[in-house]
Amino acid sequence: KSTSDVNKLTPAELQSHRNKLGELTPTPELLQYYRDRVADFEREREELTARLDAIGIRRAEQHQSEWELKKRTEEVGELQKALSDAHAYLFEERDRLLGMQAEN
């Protein structure tokens, strides 16, 4: 039966099918097939878990780099402002000095 047919079964019919399945004795080949499938799924799960862990590490490194970049950008802004203030002060002092020299 197709999946849609199984979805149309009554609860009593489903129970009847489950009882019949419970009475079946699997062959050694079928058991081995499912053991192999489970082993394959476990290997795949381990590989995917390792990949996710690696991604998490890279994401943490990226976050740290972004944070450091933000801090350095703020420091550069502060230093540029300080430099600009120093230039303004020097120009004011130069103008004051030139004014004093002109008076003498």
Side-chain angles (χ1 to χ4, degrees):
K1 289 189 174 190
S2 70
T3 304
S4 62
D5 291 339
V6 171
N7 291 334
K8 295 176 184 176
L9 295 175
T10 66
E13 290 172 325
L14 279 174
Q15 188 59 43
S16 172
H17 286 295
R18 287 188 185 119
N19 290 341
K20 289 177 186 174
L21 286 173
E23 295 169 4
L24 294 176
T25 305
T27 64
E29 293 83 11
L30 185 60
L31 285 174
Q32 187 59 48
Y33 169 79
Y34 282 111
R35 285 184 184 120
D36 292 344
R37 291 288 306 226
V38 168
D40 290 343
F41 286 133
E42 287 175 353
R43 268 193 300 279
E44 182 180 4
R45 181 180 179 280
E46 289 172 8
E47 290 170 6
L48 292 173
T49 301
R51 287 176 61 192
L52 286 172
D53 290 345
I55 290 170
I57 291 169
R58 287 194 298 259
R59 178 64 186 126
E61 291 170 352
Q62 179 185 3
H63 178 70
Q64 180 68 27
S65 296
E66 288 171 352
W67 178 254
E68 288 176 10
L69 176 62
K70 180 181 181 225
K71 296 304 281 178
R72 299 298 178 262
T73 302
E74 290 172 0
E75 289 175 11
V76 166
E78 292 170 3
L79 290 171
Q80 287 175 334
K81 183 181 180 328
L83 181 61
S84 176
D85 292 347
H87 280 241
Y89 176 75
L90 285 175
F91 285 125
E92 289 172 8
E93 288 298 312
R94 187 177 129 236
D95 285 344
R96 192 173 66 83
L97 179 62
L98 289 176
M100 288 175 65
Q101 286 177 347
E103 288 176 5
N104 290 334

